[in-house]
Amino acid sequence: QVQLQESGPGLVKPSETLSLTCTVSGGSISNFFWTWIRQPPGKGLEWIGSIYYSGSTDYSPSLKSRVTISVDTSKNHFSLKLSSVTAADTAVYYCARHQGVGAHFQHWGQGTLVTVSS
Amino acid sequence: SYVLTQPPSVSVAPGKTARITCGGNNIGTKNVHWYQQKPGQAPVLVIYSDIDRPSGISERFSGSNSGNTATLTISRVEADDEADYYCHVWDSTYDPLYVFGPGTTVTVL
């Protein structure tokens, strides 16, 4: 059974860059789409962006200017970088896997809370 | 952007049926997916492509989609069904591509 695990700093200072990695185990990163989703405390889910294992990406327009998602097939992981963070970026960040463009998010990581604060 | 609407909350007695709606313009033409999220946990897929149930999900969960409304139905509600439920669609003609509804909190009385 595939498992996803987010990792990265839990505290980031305002104006700095948030960096997270999602490590995939129990299956290959190849031939799937991989997505980052976030959830501010007490609020709903927000799609950040997706990447195909080949490297092609789609980003939410509201975050596009600050987001970079990349994939490393040799390490079986993919990553999120969000620059110039503010308190509004404080959220639980989830990584997820889906079979194709537009498909449901079948597998999720447990999520990691990132707090933006000085 | 494509907008989805959900009732903020639904209350239901044990053993009864809960229906959670997800509204959107011509949503019946799109594939709708549903996730259950309990406090402190990651979302879990309960219905995909309108009506399909992943393995391991109770048959008490079912879905439908027509016109401007998709519906998640939970039959014979149990205390363990108490959670937030989110609908989700994808549409290549809109940006963002992937959209979630605001979520519905199901309370079991």
Side-chain angles (χ1 to χ4, degrees):
Chain A
Q1 174 75 324
V2 65
Q3 293 187 318
L4 289 71
Q5 179 67 59
E6 305 88 350
S7 60
L11 181 64
V12 181
K13 290 182 168 56
S15 80
E16 295 190 345
T17 296
L18 177 160
S19 296
L20 295 175
T21 295
C22 181
T23 301
V24 180
S25 58
S28 174
I29 206 165
S30 297
N31 300 314
F32 289 100
F33 289 79
W34 306 91
T35 284
W36 287 100
I37 294 159
R38 70 180 183 179
Q39 184 173 35
K43 297 188 178 181
L45 303 167
E46 179 186 18
W47 173 70
I48 299 171
S50 300
I51 189 166
Y52 190 44
Y53 80 99
S54 63
S56 62
T57 54
D58 287 302
Y59 299 131
S60 172
S62 66
L63 298 170
K64 190 172 186 175
S65 63
R66 299 193 292 130
V67 171
T68 301
I69 298 176
S70 58
V71 63
D72 188 332
T73 55
S74 66
K75 295 181 179 178
N76 227 41
H77 75 206
F78 64 107
S79 300
L80 168 71
K81 291 188 186 299
L82 181 65
S83 63
S84 305
V85 297
T86 69
D89 295 310
T90 294
V92 175
Y93 285 76
Y94 295 100
C95 56
R97 189 189 90 171
H98 46 124
Q99 194 87 18
V101 175
H104 50 281
F105 302 126
Q106 187 171 16
H107 300 283
W108 296 65
Q110 66 184 26
T112 186
L113 174 63
V114 179
T115 302
V116 178
S117 175
S118 56
Chain B
S1 63
Y2 189 77
V3 177
L4 296 172
T5 60
Q6 294 183 241
S9 62
V10 168
S11 297
V12 58
K16 299 300 186 182
T17 297
R19 293 181 179 85
I20 306 159
T21 58
C22 178
N25 185 39
N26 288 323
I27 196 172
T29 63
K30 309 179 193 306
N31 284 325
V32 179
H33 318 300
W34 292 91
Y35 304 87
Q36 176 194 67
Q37 186 181 34
K38 297 180 179 178
Q41 298 183 21
V44 173
L45 180 71
V46 293
I47 291 289
Y48 66 96
S49 300
D50 299 339
I51 62 172
D52 292 323
R53 223 175 21 251
S55 62
I57 298 299
S58 170
E59 62 180 16
R60 298 184 298 104
F61 289 85
S62 61
S64 63
N65 186 16
S66 179
N68 293 317
T69 305
T71 303
L72 173 69
T73 300
I74 311 173
S75 304
R76 304 182 301 282
V77 165
E78 302 174 356
D80 190 53
D81 298 329
E82 192 162 280
D84 292 330
Y85 292 84
Y86 295 91
C87 57
H88 156 224
V89 302
W90 169 87
D91 192 311
S92 63
T93 63
Y94 288 87
D95 209 0
L97 298 172
Y98 297 88
V99 177
F100 291 95
T104 297
T105 298
V106 170
T107 300
V108 180
L109 300 172

